[in-house]
């Protein structure tokens, strides 16, 4: 008898409708040596009959079994399936999910070629409730490339994050030899089984292929285990599983794995349950605290330092069972960025609350100074606003609530006014209703309000599209508008408190406004039918909805919605660009500028623009901007929002494009348009077609990328290194490369010449603007971009202790911190005056000119700063990861660095303490050689040369 390569165990319970789809995804695998083992957990519907029919239809490939009694979980049927399996390898599939068509083949090839006991691939969550079946990859950074590890200790994140059992293929002999089984009678069995398998496996291989489609349906009538978090037994099971996993890790001496798992528990597992606490009763909270705190007592205290501040704050307040401070904190956790506590200030530090500050741990965890709640503009803070009472009667709703007044920043004498706003989430020509609040008073750390709304008069929904309405309080303080969502908290709201309403189209569909608490705990209203609509028969309602008038109304609305969506879609804009705008005549003298994808007025495009203005060149300057409102852009230019129609029209008619990164890749440049690409930095890290990511893309994607690069008519370079790296990486013709240097660096060259000639360093007006003491040295810390796992943008976290830096050097130095334009940073109030965040400054060149020394890592600012011949320090704490595991580098920084390369905080501080000698005098020769190697064309006249070449010739 032929032994199957892979046995796929498909478990099912009361899922007769979806089971055939799951089984079909196995039968249609491109690997043919696959058998299906269906195990029914004693369903009450026709699931087992469907399973037997599938087995009868495919007798050589499908077998069906049924447990004698329902087990209530996934463990027992999976264990039974393993016992019945005959394949060399085993995989698991739930009846409501599907396998990717090549999953078994890819898993088998990896297992056979590497000898792995366990192979794991990418799981994809398919959101069935979303309009376009949105998909998200499950921890994709773990699967960026194929790799094999000999022990789970080599990749702790695998055990910590990917706890699924279903995106994996197991050698069946391995499962049997190790006696690996799922726990029975307890939920979250995957966590324990996966941990046991990871720990026992002699070799594990990860592949970057999609293997499993996890179908997620939030609106399902029968909630999954993970969606029944309001049941205390659910949390009890989670705690028990975690204890068993901890015991396993401790028995193996895997302390680091346990520590990493503690971090994940604080920022994920616990958070899932904390978010529901404000909506649950006192009895549940007491039991929850008892279960959680027994486990939190065993958490490594260091874990609190590795999670987001609110995660740590919530866990700590839970351990103290401080409900008055914890519940607002969980609201802030659910609604990211919302400030729900009035805060407390002690000795220059800002804390979440005034309690628990008598211990070092309490002060450390509750310290929220880095969020700068005390210094950020009040309008930028999402202030918490919680209901204190709710009453609905005779069509009128009466609400009262309290808005947080952090640190008393809203003064008692401030001019206050407020309106309640009701707005539809989806609307076609809808009207937002705003009703003034009757009572508003300053109450110390809160602003209290009361209002009433005659809903039938104030709110007139359409009745078909605008089914859900959100409630906000807009508070105006001394002319500044603060928008707040109204959080329900513990205030009782009964759906029976529905309000009569008259939609503008028809009352057949809805005639009531029913209050509802959203998933994030905020107050909303949903249109529903009652009253006259309820007494009509169902047939009458259905008949009316199918009638000619209703059909015409719905058809018209659908067309209007689709037209609006289509008009704003990228594809429509591209069609308009190609078919309309590109047929318009090119406008002589129209120049479109863009820097860093519209995020800044900076860099070489700025230098060229300002040189053209200085020389009085006649031209029409257009600058693109990204975001809601442009700030920092020149007043004498036309501003267009990136990807707007005016932006596309300007690009289509422009005589010149000038930018430093890349106009949208799919926009075709007209033959009559000249594209001057200034680029944004000399390359240390690999770029373009030299990047592993680009090489891994398909031929079509590579061809599209090359087509976008071929739009460049001129590409500025600052040295032959750029020709060898950027020129080759972007596959640019040699005649495209323009060896004139970077216009953005003209000012740096001029500053160096002036300093050499006079022997003095002029700091200029920027130093006064930043409030820098003229007697202090200025150091600029400018690290390169760093992303979170999966490539997501994240807030920057300094790799050294900023407060300790300020304490050690603050009397003699001012530290400027400028993050990459995609990152952001928050500084604690304690370092004010000694450390300054200058990330909001568009242009880095004036900051470089101001700095007496540069601290960086791999940022291309090293090449610019080198022109000043001032000391540089390279803090490369993650060098091996960046240089080897990231996308690679063109040269070894350690060999070419024109300054000391350090990897620890102690080394960094030691160099800073002796900066004049260690980084300045000692590396003077290295700096000169560095400039010769990378910046030979930066002579200080790049902007003038570009303007002379393209804009001051006859006819330009």
């Amino acid at each position: 008898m032929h032994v199957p390569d892979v046995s796929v165990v498909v478990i099912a319970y009361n899922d007769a409708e979806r089971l055939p789809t799951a089984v079909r995804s196995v039968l249609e695998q491109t690997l043919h040596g696959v058998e299906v083992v269906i195990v029914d957990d004693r369903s009450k519907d026709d699931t087992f009959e469907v399973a037997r029919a599938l087995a009868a239809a495919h007798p050589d490939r499908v077998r069906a079994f049924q447990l004698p009694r329902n087990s209530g979980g996934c463990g027992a049927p999976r264990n039974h399936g393993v016992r019945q399996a005959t394949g060399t390898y085993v995989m698991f599939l739930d009846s409501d999910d599907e396998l990717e068509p090549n999953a078994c083949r890819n898993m088998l090839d990896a297992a056979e070629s590497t000898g792995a006991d366990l192979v794991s691939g990418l799981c994809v969550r398919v959101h069935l409730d979303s309009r376009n079946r949105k998909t998200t990859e499950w921890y994709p950074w773990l699967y960026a490339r194929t790799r094999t590890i000999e022990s789970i200790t080599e990749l702790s994140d695998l055990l910590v994050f990917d706890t699924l059992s279903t995106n994996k293929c197991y050698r069946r002999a391995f499962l049997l030899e190790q006696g690996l089984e799922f726990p029975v009678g307890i939920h979250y069995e995957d966590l324990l089984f996966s941990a046991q398998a990871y720990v026992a496996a002699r070799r594990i291989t990860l592949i970057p292929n999609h293997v499993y489609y996890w179908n997620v349906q939030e609106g399902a009538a029968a909630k999954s285990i993970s969606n029944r978090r309001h049941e205390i037994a659910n949390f009890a099971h989670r705690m028990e599983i975690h204890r068993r996993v901890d015991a396993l890790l401790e028995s193996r001496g895997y302390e680091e794995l346990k520590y990493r798992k503690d971090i994940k528990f604080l920022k994920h597992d616990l958070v899932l349950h904390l978010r529901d606490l404000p909506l649950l009763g006192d009895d549940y909270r007491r039991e929850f605290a008892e279960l959680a705190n027994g486990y939190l007592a065993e958490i490594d205290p260091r874990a609190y330092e590795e999670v987001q501040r609110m995660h740590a704050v919530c866990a700590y307040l839970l351990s103290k069972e401080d409900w008055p401070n914890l519940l607002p904190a969980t609201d802030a956790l659910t609604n990211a960025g919302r400030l729900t506590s009035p805060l407390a200030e002690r000795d220059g530090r800002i804390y979440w609350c005034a309690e628990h500050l008598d211990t070092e741990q309490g002060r450390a965890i509750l310290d929220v100074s880095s969020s700068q709640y005390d210094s950020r503009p009040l309008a930028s803070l999402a202030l918490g606003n919680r209901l204190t009472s709710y009453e609905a009667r005779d069509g009128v709703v009466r609400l009262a609530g309290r808005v947080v007044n952090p640190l008393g920043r809203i003064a008692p004498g401030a001019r206050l006014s407020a309106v309640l706003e009701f707005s539809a989430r989806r609307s076609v020509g809808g009207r937002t209703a705003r009703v003034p609040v009757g009572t508003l008073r300053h109450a110390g750390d809160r602003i209290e309000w009361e209002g009433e709304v005659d809903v039938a008069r104030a709110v007139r929904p359409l009745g078909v599209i605008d089914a859900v309405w959100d409630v906000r309080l807009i508070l105006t303080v001394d002319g500044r508008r603060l928008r707040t969502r109204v959080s329900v908290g513990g205030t009782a709201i009964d759906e029976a408190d529905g309000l009569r309403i008259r939609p503008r189209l028809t009352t057949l569909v809805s005639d009531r406004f029913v209050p509802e608490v959203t998933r994030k705990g905020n107050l909303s209203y949903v249109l529903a039918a009652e009253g006259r609509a309820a007494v009509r028969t169902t047939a009458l309602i259905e008949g009316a909805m199918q009638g000619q008038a209703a059909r015409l109304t719905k058809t018209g609305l659908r067309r209007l919605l689709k037209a609006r969506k289509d008009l704003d879609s990228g594809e429509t804009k591209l069609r308009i660009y190609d078919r309309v705008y590109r047929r318009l005549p090119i406008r002589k003298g129209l120049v479109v500028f863009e820097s860093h994808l519209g995020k800044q007025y900076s860099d070489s495009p700025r230098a060229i623009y300002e040189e053209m203005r200085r020389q009085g060149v006649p031209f029409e300057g257009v600058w693109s901007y990204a975001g809601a409102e442009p700030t920092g852009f020149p007043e004498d230019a036309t501003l267009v929002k990136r990807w707007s129609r005016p932006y596309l029209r300007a690009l289509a008619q422009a005589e010149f494009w000038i930018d430093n990164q890349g106009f949208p890749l799919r926009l075709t440049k007209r033959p009559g348009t000249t594209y001057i690409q200034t680029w944004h930095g000399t390359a240390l890290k690999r770029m373009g077609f030299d990047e592993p990511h680009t090489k891994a893309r398909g031929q079509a994607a590579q061809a599209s990328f090359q087509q976008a690069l071929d739009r460049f008519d001129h590409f500025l370079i600052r040295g032959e290194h750029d020709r060898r790296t950027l020129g080759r990486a972007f596959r640019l013709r040699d005649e495209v490369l323009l060896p004139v240097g970077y216009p953005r660096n003209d000012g740096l060259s001029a500053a160096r010449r002036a300093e050499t000639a006079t022997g003095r360093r002029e700091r200029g007006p920027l130093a006064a603007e930043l409030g820098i003491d003229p007697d202090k040295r200025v150091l600029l810390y400018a690290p390169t971009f760093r992303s979170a796992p999966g490539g997501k943008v994240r807030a920057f976290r300094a790799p050294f202790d900023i407060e300790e830096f300020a304490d050690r050097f603050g009397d003699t130095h001012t530290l400027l911190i400028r993050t990459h334009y995609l990152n952001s940073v928050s500084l604690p109030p304690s370092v004010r005056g000694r450390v300054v965040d200058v990330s909001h400054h568009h242009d880095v060149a004036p900051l470089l000119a101001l700095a007496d020394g540069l601290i960086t890592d791999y940022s291309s600012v090293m090449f610019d700063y080198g022109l000043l011949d001032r000391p540089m320090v390279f803090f490369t704490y993650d060098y091996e990861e960046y240089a080897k595991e990231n996308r690679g580098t063109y040269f070894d920084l350690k060999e070419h660095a024109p300054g000391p390369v350090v990897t620890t905080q102690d080394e960094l501080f030691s160099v800073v303490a002796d900066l004049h000698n260690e980084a300045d005098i000692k590396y003077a020769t290295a700096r000169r050689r560095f400039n010769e190697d990378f910046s030979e064309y930066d002579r200080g006249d790049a902007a003038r040369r570009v303007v002379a070449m393209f804009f001051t010739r006859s006819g330009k």
Side-chain angles (χ1 to χ4, degrees), residues 153-384:
T153 57
E154 296 177 31
L155 187 60
S156 59
D157 278 356
L158 186 60
L159 179 142
V160 171
F161 291 99
D162 188 358
T163 57
L164 301 177
S165 65
T166 48
N167 61 332
K168 297 173 177 60
C169 179
Y170 311 84
R171 193 181 300 273
R172 187 165 66 93
F174 159 70
L175 297 180
L176 298 178
E177 289 168 5
Q178 298 294 328
L180 294 180
E181 291 191 341
F182 289 89
V184 177
I186 188 169
H187 300 317
Y188 302 106
E189 55 279 297
D190 269 22
L191 274 70
L192 181 58
F193 180 83
S194 296
Q196 292 171 329
Y198 284 143
V199 168
R202 292 175 290 269
R203 184 171 294 161
I204 301 169
T205 295
L206 308 184
I207 59 175
N209 309 84
H210 290 173
V211 298
Y212 194 90
Y213 294 131
W214 176 3
N215 294 324
V216 181
Q217 194 164 4
E218 298 288 349
K223 295 294 185 182
S224 66
I225 295 300
S226 59
N227 284 326
R228 300 207 303 266
R229 293 187 292 270
H230 60 282
E231 299 173 5
I232 196 65
N234 184 298
F235 186 62
H237 284 205
R238 187 186 287 273
M239 290 296 89
E240 176 58 26
I241 287 292
H242 273 283
R243 286 191 174 89
R244 294 187 192 183
V245 174
D246 290 347
L248 169 68
L249 299 179
E250 289 170 358
S251 70
R252 297 295 187 105
Y254 292 162
E255 294 180 0
E256 181 64 19
L257 274 176
K258 166 67 166 57
Y259 169 54
R260 294 294 167 190
K261 183 180 158 298
D262 285 347
I263 295 172
K264 197 237 184 172
F265 177 81
L266 289 179
K267 70 181 184 181
H268 176 73
D269 300 84
L270 183 61
V271 168
L272 289 175
H273 294 266
L274 284 173
R275 288 173 172 155
D276 295 325
L277 283 184
L279 307 178
L280 300 170
D282 292 340
D283 290 341
Y284 178 94
R285 292 173 191 165
R286 279 193 294 271
E287 290 187 66
F288 178 84
E290 183 178 352
L291 289 167
N293 289 337
Y295 188 78
L296 287 173
E298 302 169 5
I299 290 283
D300 189 321
R302 296 178 300 157
Y304 286 91
E305 302 172 8
E306 298 295 326
V307 300
Q308 293 180 22
R309 181 59 54 184
M310 288 313 302
H311 294 161
V313 167
C314 286
Y316 182 76
L317 293 175
L318 175 63
S319 71
K320 300 298 181 183
E321 298 190 42
D322 181 352
W323 302 109
N325 287 311
L326 172 59
L327 294 180
T330 60
D331 187 7
L333 198 64
T334 303
N335 298 276
R338 182 178 293 178
L339 177 57
T340 56
S341 170
L343 308 176
E345 184 172 4
R346 300 285 187 278
D347 301 323
R349 308 296 300 174
I350 309 300
Y351 299 95
W352 182 255
C353 57
E355 291 74 23
H356 319 296
L357 303 181
D358 54 343
T359 67
E360 183 177 350
Q361 185 187 34
R363 290 190 297 274
I365 293 176
L366 298 173
D367 190 330
V368 293
S369 302
S370 61
S371 296
Q372 296 181 306
Y373 291 131
D374 57 330
S375 58
R376 285 164 52 192
L378 201 59
S380 72
L381 303 179
L383 299 183

Side-chain angles (χ1 to χ4, degrees), residues 884-936:
K884 297 180 180 179
E885 296 185 19
N886 202 296
R887 62 193 195 195
T889 60
Y890 285 115
F891 61 88
D892 190 335
L893 179 62
K894 293 180 179 179
E895 294 180 5
H896 292 79
V901 179
V902 297
T903 58
T904 68
Q905 175 174 294
D906 289 344
E907 290 176 333
L908 173 64
F909 289 0
S910 177
V911 169
V912 171
D914 192 22
L915 190 70
H916 179 68
N917 179 55
E918 179 67 19
D920 193 353
I921 298 174
K922 185 177 177 181
Y923 283 86
T925 301
R927 287 199 299 276
R928 285 193 294 273
R929 186 170 59 246
F930 191 73
N931 289 338
E932 292 168 359
D933 290 343
F934 299 106
S935 308
E936 60 262 46

Side-chain angles (χ1 to χ4, degrees), residues 107 166 185 193 205 220 278 428 480 527 547 550 558 561 565 575-576 581 592 612 653 714 849 863 892 911 931 949:
M107 294 278 208
T166 48
F193 180 83
T205 295
V428 180
R480 293 168 297 174
L527 295 179
R558 278 196 293 266
L561 281 172
K565 180 179 179 181
R575 284 197 298 272
I576 293 173
Y581 294 152
V592 179
M612 292 171 71
Q653 293 191 271
H714 305 281
F863 303 101
D892 190 335
V911 169
N931 289 338
M949 286 180 186

Side-chain angles (χ1 to χ4, degrees), residues 607-757:
I608 295 172
Y609 176 84
E610 292 179 349
E611 181 64 24
M612 292 171 71
R613 289 295 189 209
R614 268 193 297 271
Q615 293 192 29
V617 175
F619 74 104
E620 181 184 353
V622 173
W623 271 91
S624 88
Y625 70 91
E629 295 291 337
T631 57
F633 287 85
E635 295 181 0
D636 56 0
T638 299
L639 304 185
V640 292
K641 186 170 184 178
R642 201 171 196 265
W643 266 114
S644 67
R645 285 183 178 80
Y647 172 80
L648 297 176
R649 179 167 181 163
L651 285 173
Q653 293 191 271
E655 186 181 7
F656 288 93
W657 291 1
I658 300 178
D659 90 312
N660 69 346
Q661 194 153 345
F663 288 109
L665 298 181
R666 295 177 65 185
L667 296 184
T668 304
K669 182 183 71 66
R670 298 173 71 173
T673 300
T674 300
Y675 192 165
I676 303 173
Q677 172 55 255
T678 69
W679 204 239
H680 55 275
T682 294
L684 166 62
K685 49 185 176 285
R686 294 189 178 274
M687 305 292 293
F689 286 96
D690 290 343
E691 284 189 63
H693 174 72
T694 305
K695 291 179 179 178
R697 298 168 70 186
Q699 290 185 352
Q702 290 192 31
S704 178
F705 183 44
Q706 185 63 63
Q707 189 175 13
L709 296 173
D710 289 343
R711 297 178 303 174
F712 301 160
D713 295 300
H714 305 281
F715 188 95
L716 273 56
I717 60 173
R718 57 188 303 191
E720 287 303 301
H721 171 78
D722 291 349
R723 189 187 302 273
R724 294 189 298 270
T725 55
L726 294 172
R728 185 189 65 187
F730 293 145
R731 298 178 179 174
L732 301 176
R733 303 184 312 279
D734 197 61
E735 61 267 25
V736 171
L737 303 177
L738 205 60
V740 298
Y742 280 174
R744 73 183 187 193
N745 290 336
D746 290 349
L748 299 181
S749 297
R752 177 58 185 162
R753 288 196 300 270
E755 187 175 336
T756 302

Side-chain angles (χ1 to χ4, degrees), residues 7 29 46 85 175 200 207 254 267 279 388 468 497 618 637 748-749 754 762 766 796 798 932-933 939 942 952:
S7 296
Q29 287 289 300
D46 297 332
L175 297 180
I207 59 175
Y254 292 162
K267 70 181 184 181
L279 307 178
T388 54
V468 182
D497 293 334
L748 299 181
S749 297
E762 298 293 339
L766 181 58
F796 174 75
E932 292 168 359
D933 290 343
R939 295 189 284 264
T952 60

Side-chain angles (χ1 to χ4, degrees), residues 410-486:
I410 301 177
R415 292 177 287 109
L416 303 178
S417 62
V419 295
L420 279 166
E421 177 186 85
F422 294 75
S423 58
R425 290 187 194 169
R426 295 183 65 201
S427 176
V428 180
R431 292 174 293 184
T432 296
R434 293 189 178 94
V435 180
V437 166
T439 303
L440 195 63
R441 55 180 171 268
H442 195 290
D445 61 6
R446 313 277 175 176
I447 304 298
E448 297 179 348
W449 59 270
E450 297 175 16
E452 66 177 41
V453 181
D454 186 335
V455 173
R457 289 177 177 273
V459 182
R460 288 299 307 276
L462 201 60
V464 176
I465 301 299
D466 47 358
V468 182
W469 290 64
D470 294 319
V471 182
R472 290 176 175 83
L473 180 89
I474 302 177
L475 177 66
T476 302
V477 180
D478 290 333
R480 293 168 297 174
R481 286 160 52 99
L482 313 177
R483 292 174 61 84
T484 68
R485 279 303 303 269
V486 178

